[in-house]
Amino acid sequence: MRFDFSTAAHIVFGPGTLAEVGELAAGLGRRPLVVTGADRLRATPLLEVLAGEDLHAVVFSVPGEPGIETIDAGARVAQEEACDQVIAIGGGAAIDTGKAIAALMTNEGQLIDHLEIIGKAEPLRMRPAPFTAIPTTAGTGAEVTRNSVITSTEHHVKVSLRSPLLMARVVVVDPLLTHGLPPAITATTGLDALTQLLEAFVCSRANPLTDGFCREGLARAGRSLRRAFSDGDDASAREDMSLAGLLSGMALANAGLGAVHGIAAPLGGMFPVPHGAVCAALLPGVVEMNLRALAERAPHNPAISRYREAASLLGSPQDDLAGWLRQLTADLGIPPLGAFGVDRKHLAHLADRAARTSSIKANPIELTRDELIEAVRAAL
């Protein structure tokens, strides 16, 4: 047994903890760049907290999923405004953008020089500017991961800026910030968390530390995702899902993922589809394919019993986890991939690109090209 583990330096969790950000940020600098999603009004409570500590914030909004141009623009704003720290508040897009901007504030060169696949994957040399992450959705876990997922419109692909130096200095998870989420976003982000917990639990690099996070997170998601979807003001359900999202990020950052995320990476670069919706649509078919391949080629693989345990934690029949997941995604209104323009003619190309991703390397069993194609076809 060998594994390593790292996470954010300081994590604060609980309802109302947004009020503590001002004091925490004051210890990191005096002029924060506040990175928000498209609706910058959602950052108003944070700006009021920062003003209470006499911190002079500069706001930078992210219109959608982070692209190279957006991150470059944010880094220029940080330089022109002499910002000395970054605080990202929002979903995964805002948080990933904030991480990358913080890295560019202290490291020379262009962003693409540090990107995997399309760039040179040059390591970051300098520690990024102090970075604080405040998620307003419950699912991506980006607040505690060591990579930033970035879209290249030129290359039609999503790639990562990856470094242990990207870990946030401070993470504040306030479940109250998720109460205003519409049901559709609750569903896609919640299913993203569930996918990450399940993939990290059954993957080939699972370890005793991440297993604990996955077990706790799966149980909470299983009992609360439907409730949070049905009643956005159910405080206990929102708290459960916020913790499930946090635990999913800690698990995936230290264990790995699997074929769902391996397929989602190229698919998200090719089509305008939210990451959580992609994962949700793919999950039942990938689980079904993994279990079939394991039964045929690796009947003694421990992932089989882990899938059964995960089913029990979620409240699913042990012998029909894929069917239970298919019903869950239907009940939460997840559209098939065909609704976003994905067609059978794209399947072979998607499978070939998925086979080269870093996420798929931790899948509990190596899937053939035909098996990957079939798993995606099931999501159409």
Side-chain angles (χ1 to χ4, degrees), residues 67-154:
I68 294 173
E69 299 82 4
T70 299
I71 292 164
D72 285 340
R76 286 195 297 272
V77 171
Q79 182 180 29
E80 292 165 0
E81 297 289 344
C83 295
D84 53 14
Q85 64 172 301
V86 178
I87 303 173
I89 180 168
I95 292 173
D96 277 350
T97 300
K99 285 184 205 175
I101 291 173
L104 291 185
M105 286 167 64
T106 60
N107 285 270
E108 296 181 355
Q110 302 298 310
L111 174 59
I112 196 166
D113 294 335
H114 303 286
L115 297 180
E116 299 175 344
I117 302 174
I118 63 172
K120 301 175 184 176
E122 292 180 355
L124 298 178
R125 303 295 181 186
M126 303 297 294
R127 190 178 189 186
F131 175 63
T132 298
I134 308 169
T136 60
T137 64
T140 71
E143 63 272 17
V144 285
T145 59
R146 58 187 112 184
N147 70 305
S148 173
V149 180
I150 298 165
T151 300
S152 170
T153 53
E154 177 185 353

Side-chain angles (χ1 to χ4, degrees), residues 225-236:
L225 178 51
R226 288 178 185 273
R227 287 167 46 207
F229 176 79
S230 300
D231 179 3
D233 290 321
D234 184 326
S236 64

Side-chain angles (χ1 to χ4, degrees), residues 203-214:
C203 79
S204 61
R205 297 198 296 264
N207 65 69
L209 275 179
T210 58
D211 286 350
F213 297 141
C214 292

